[in-house]
Amino acid sequence: MERKFISDFRENMTVSGFFMVFSKDIRIAKNNNPYLNITLMDKTGTIHAKIWDNVETFSEKFEKGDPVAVKGTITSFNNEIQLKISSIRRVVPAQDKAYGYTLDDLIPSTQKDIGQMWQAIMDSIDRITNPFLQKLLRIIYTEHESILKTHPASMILHHAFRGGLLEHTHAMLNVAIGICNTYPELDKELVISGVLLHDIGKIRELDSGLATDYTDCGNFIGHIVLGRDILLETIAKIDDFPEMLKLKLEHIILSHQGKLEWQSPKEPSFPEALIVYFIDEMDTRLNQMTRELSNDNTEGNWTNKNNYFRRPLFKGSDSG
């Protein structure tokens, strides 16, 4: 049978393949019977899946984060496809390799060149003339190079794939450079530093395992405050770091989500902080909309309303 990925799935299709268990929990149906609610993942996306029968038996066969072999049928509920599982088990790599199993097929990853994005960021750091900002960024990016090249930017919301944090930061850097060239009154080096540091707390908030989850400190504290912690820990290693510069960088991290109701401890209070917030918001929403458009299976020129934006999105061609 030809290998099918989640992006290929259509209603009434029978599927047999390998997936990563992104999430798993037991819920109670309206008839008071338990069922397994699962999210499966491969390199093309995610799909919700259900197991309605023999729940206890199947639940013992796999855990969150396991690669699994699955058989089932694609159904539709509220205009959204989902997988009704008939059988599932943990992958046995030595055995399943003959049937096409490879771990690379199960992990969504950036489609952009990690080396090129990393070099562009390092080049931007090298061009910074403020010695305190340059040293700060070099320390953080050198110490955390490996994780910054592979970490996701979020669990589900945006850039939720290996290398997603780097892709998000790189895109923001490109936008920031253009904006600062248009508005020369901005402190360009402060904006660039804010972009490179705004989500640094994600490396402590999110686990970097195969199935991303929040760490304990991620649940207790969150990436905004964790990012401020990393900033202050690093500044403590740099002699005579200017106090006002430290406060501005703290504020950019603490305000980059823009609004108090979006769990931002502060709202932007100076132009460079405002710009970092707007750039972050733009790249996040564009990534979300692009993902919703690519994942929608509704026929016609418009998606259904079951998306982050809660409205139909146009996916037709300009040629009509």
Side-chain angles (χ1 to χ4, degrees), residues 39-82:
T39 302
L40 297 175
M41 174 177 70
D42 68 19
K43 67 180 183 180
T44 70
T46 61
I47 188 170
H48 296 300
K50 303 287 191 295
I51 297 178
W52 299 101
D53 302 315
N54 300 316
V55 171
E56 291 186 5
T57 299
F58 277 119
S59 183
E60 294 175 354
K61 293 179 179 294
F62 66 97
E63 298 297 336
K64 176 181 175 180
D66 283 341
V68 290
V70 175
K71 293 181 180 179
T73 304
I74 303 299
T75 62
S76 179
F77 180 73
N78 286 339
N79 293 317
E80 183 178 1
I81 63 169
Q82 59 183 18

Side-chain angles (χ1 to χ4, degrees), residues 18 67 89-103:
F18 303 106
R89 62 167 174 81
R90 284 189 184 91
V91 161
V92 181
Q95 166 189 312
D96 291 321
K97 185 177 180 180
Y99 297 97
Y101 166 73
T102 172
L103 187 61

Side-chain angles (χ1 to χ4, degrees), residues 124-160:
S124 74
I125 293 174
D126 288 342
R127 286 192 292 268
I128 289 177
T129 59
N130 183 304
F132 297 101
L133 288 177
Q134 188 182 79
K135 188 170 185 178
L136 171 71
L137 294 169
R138 279 181 173 169
I139 291 173
I140 290 175
Y141 271 73
T142 300
E143 286 186 359
H144 303 290
E145 177 177 355
S146 178
I147 192 170
L148 285 169
K149 286 181 174 179
T150 59
H151 218 58
S154 69
M155 273 188 62
I156 298 174
L157 188 62
H158 70 97
H159 299 87

Side-chain angles (χ1 to χ4, degrees), residues 29 38 124 135 144 201 254 257 315:
I38 305 163
S124 74
K135 188 170 185 178
H144 303 290
L254 294 174
Q257 292 196 172
K315 60 177 182 176

Side-chain angles (χ1 to χ4, degrees), residues 249-260:
L249 290 170
E250 287 183 81
H251 181 80
I252 288 174
I253 291 175
L254 294 174
S255 68
H256 80 264
Q257 292 196 172
K259 300 180 181 181
L260 300 178

Side-chain angles (χ1 to χ4, degrees), residues 195-206:
V195 163
L196 298 184
L197 295 173
H198 81 287
D199 265 351
I200 197 65
K202 295 283 182 73
I203 65 175
R204 292 183 180 175
E205 180 186 49
L206 298 174

